[in-house]
């Protein structure tokens, strides 16, 4: 990623200089198991200083299509493999400061497996029933915009299972959901304190 400077002339004046992040793009995938569970994750996000509930996602590598990125990230972050991959369009999550385009997918009939995270990634599984995840997206408790949009688009297209009414409160965002002792916030480069 590169920070770029661009001068935009204005029709009635000298214009303005803009700075933005030039991003290669990424892919996000909503993994749905045969029983209707979404294999979401909690990631420690330094920029917001907290845990974020989100779908597996990552940057497109050179020469890699968004579909290939989605499959790679699904495997790396959850260990799952997709039976079928449905495209859900794309989104510019921060068009005022970046040209990043996030390509959205839903992976149906995923088969679990062991994850193999990249060095420094701090990720914890957070499987949720699809209706519960959708409720968190619609009531604003799920704050990762691309994940929320992917859930809404998948629901609108009838791709999410509807098995029961969902609760209206999110799992805690201060730590990943576990029955073990809380996990400390990572320090620089994802190492635990």
């Amino acid at each position: 990623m590169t920070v770029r400077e661009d001068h935009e002339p204005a029709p009635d004046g000298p214009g303005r200089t803009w700075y933005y992040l030039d991003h290669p793009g990424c892919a996000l995938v909503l993994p749905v198991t045969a029983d209707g569970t979404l294999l979401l994750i909690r990631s420690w996000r330094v920029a917001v200083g907290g845990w974020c509930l989100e779908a597996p996602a990552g940057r497109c590598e050179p020469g890699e299509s968004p579909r290939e990125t989605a499959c790679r990230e699904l495997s790396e972050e959850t260990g799952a493999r997709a039976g079928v991959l449905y495209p859900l369009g794309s989104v510019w999550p921060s068009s005022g400061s970046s040209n990043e385009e996030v390509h959205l997918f839903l992976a149906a009939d995923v088969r679990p497996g062991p994850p193999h995270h990249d060095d420094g990634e701090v990720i914890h599984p957070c499987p949720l029933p699809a209706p519960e995840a959708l409720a968190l997206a619609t009531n604003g408790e799920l704050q990762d915009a691309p994940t929320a949009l992917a859930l809404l688009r998948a629901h609108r297209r009838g791709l999410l299972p509807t098995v029961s009414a969902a609760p209206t409160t999110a799992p805690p965002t201060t730590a990943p959901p576990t029955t073990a002792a809380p996990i400390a916030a990572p320090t620089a480069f994802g190492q635990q304190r």
Side-chain angles (χ1 to χ4, degrees):
M1 294 179 281
T2 305
V3 175
R4 301 236 184 250
E5 179 181 339
D6 193 12
H7 185 80
E8 282 291 317
D12 60 348
R16 184 171 172 187
T17 299
W18 293 91
Y19 296 93
Y20 66 94
L21 182 64
D22 189 15
H23 194 286
C26 68
L28 175 145
V29 58
L30 285 175
V32 183
T33 64
D35 71 357
T37 300
L38 285 174
L39 302 181
L40 299 181
I41 58 174
R42 283 218 185 268
S43 294
W44 179 259
R45 296 299 183 189
V46 173
V48 298
W51 295 99
C52 290
L53 179 63
E54 56 194 45
R59 184 177 55 221
C60 294
E61 297 297 335
E64 186 177 55
S65 73
R67 181 177 288 273
E68 291 167 329
T69 301
C71 290
R72 177 179 52 77
E73 290 294 333
L74 175 63
S75 175
E76 286 177 7
E77 295 186 0
T78 70
R81 302 259 186 249
V84 180
L85 204 60
Y86 296 97
L88 299 171
S90 65
V91 62
W92 291 313
S94 190
S95 60
S97 60
S98 175
N99 63 1
E100 176 188 18
E101 183 177 13
V102 181
H103 301 271
L104 309 173
F105 296 91
L106 179 135
D109 194 28
V110 297
R111 296 171 301 283
H116 39 93
H117 303 146
D118 289 337
D119 288 340
E121 282 187 315
V122 183
I123 297 174
H124 299 281
C126 189
L128 290 174
E132 186 175 337
L134 182 61
L136 296 175
T138 57
N139 71 19
E141 292 183 66
L142 190 156
Q143 292 186 297
D144 182 66
T147 300
L149 182 60
L151 281 162
L152 296 172
R153 286 183 181 176
H155 173 68
R156 179 72 177 196
R157 295 177 189 179
L159 296 172
L160 289 181
T162 54
V163 288
S164 65
T168 57
T169 59
T173 58
T174 55
T178 66
T179 55
I183 297 170
T187 59
F189 305 107
Q191 297 185 3
Q192 301 292 322
R193 288 186 202 171

